[in-house]
Amino acid sequence: MDFRLKVFFTVATRLSFTKAATELFITQPAVSKHIQELEEEYKVKLFDRNGSKISLTHAGEQLVKHAKNIFEIYREIDFEMSSLIKEQHGMLRLGASTTISQYIIPPLLARFHQEMQGVKVILRNGNTEQIENALLNKEIEIGIVEGQSKNKAIKYTPFLKDELVLVCNRANPLVDKGEITKEDLVQLRFLMREQGSGTLEVIEHALKPLKIKMAELIVEMQLGSTESIKSYLMNSNCVAFISIHAIEKELKNNELVILDVDNLIIERYFYIIGLQGKTNALSDLFIKNITKHYNLKL
């Protein structure tokens, strides 16, 4: 691998010569020298410099795209060559949307590591939209997300069934009300995830048969994670739709209570996502490993 290209890619990612030098364990002058050599070789500027700030030029952006492809090929070479001597080595960049990264994937990663200790997994966390964008930008090889936005460049494979339930804290007067009606829903105060969240997308779709639009719901707060929503619920009379996988501990401790909603069951799948027509041996190995624990045939 051309180390100069690695230096360039690190600077392009961090947009900082200093941070790149720290990450690569070399001096800042050495970083500058490598970038200068590349610019001289290609006879084009790769970065615009404005005081202490830098940004990619058009040529720099093009080189970043090629560098991503080159590094992906190197990862596949490393893994497939090590497989020939029956030792799995390599690095897998995985992305998972918030609910999955917090409640679903950690035990799966632990089991995968026990079986494949030579494989390094880097987990990236974000909402569904962010993880899909990371996949499209080739910043990760594989993702697991909550929503299904049906981007034609992405292959969606159902992974695990989930249910979103309406919950409140145990002191909320709604606990004694019984079933929640359609009319009740538009009177309640909701906590919601941020725009781009797969959970938000699923809720919006599920409310359509009830002829309820998201805009009709009273949203007291939009929060960026399920944990922050749960914490807020403990200290308010709000309600929220949350994955059943995310509230096992709170239900067991009787801190949160599920509210039954008339004619509303919100089921969904978590999806494994990859680029259409694109696969590699390490990603396939990871998928087979995690799905066998759920007896899934993908």
Side-chain angles (χ1 to χ4, degrees), residues 53 102 147 157 248 284 297:
K53 294 184 179 180
Q102 287 181 318
T157 305
E248 291 180 0
D284 290 342
K297 295 179 180 179

Side-chain angles (χ1 to χ4, degrees), residues 258-270:
I258 296 175
L259 301 170
D260 290 325
V261 183
D262 186 30
N263 288 322
L264 183 65
I265 296 176
I266 308 180
E267 293 181 331
R268 63 175 177 180
Y269 274 95
F270 296 136

Side-chain angles (χ1 to χ4, degrees), residues 72-91 118-119 280-282 285:
E72 185 175 351
I73 291 169
Y74 272 116
R75 279 190 294 273
E76 290 186 24
I77 290 172
D78 288 343
F79 178 73
E80 291 185 10
M81 290 299 100
S82 66
S83 296
L84 294 176
I85 56 173
K86 298 181 180 179
E87 293 180 7
Q88 272 77 28
H89 292 281
M91 181 176 72
V119 177
N280 65 64
L282 188 50
L285 179 68

Side-chain angles (χ1 to χ4, degrees), residues 113-162:
H113 178 69
Q114 289 173 358
E115 296 179 25
M116 303 291 173
Q117 294 187 12
V119 177
K120 181 180 179 181
V121 178
I122 297 177
L123 177 62
R124 177 171 182 163
N125 177 38
N127 63 34
T128 294
E129 182 179 347
Q130 291 166 339
I131 297 304
E132 289 185 348
N133 286 336
L135 180 68
L136 293 170
N137 292 329
K138 297 184 178 179
E139 296 165 4
I140 58 174
E141 282 80 49
I142 190 171
I144 308 178
V145 297
E146 304 161 34
Q148 186 181 10
S149 62
K150 297 182 176 62
N151 187 306
K152 292 182 180 179
I154 296 175
K155 178 183 178 182
Y156 297 84
T157 305
F159 166 51
L160 182 65
K161 197 170 186 179
D162 182 35

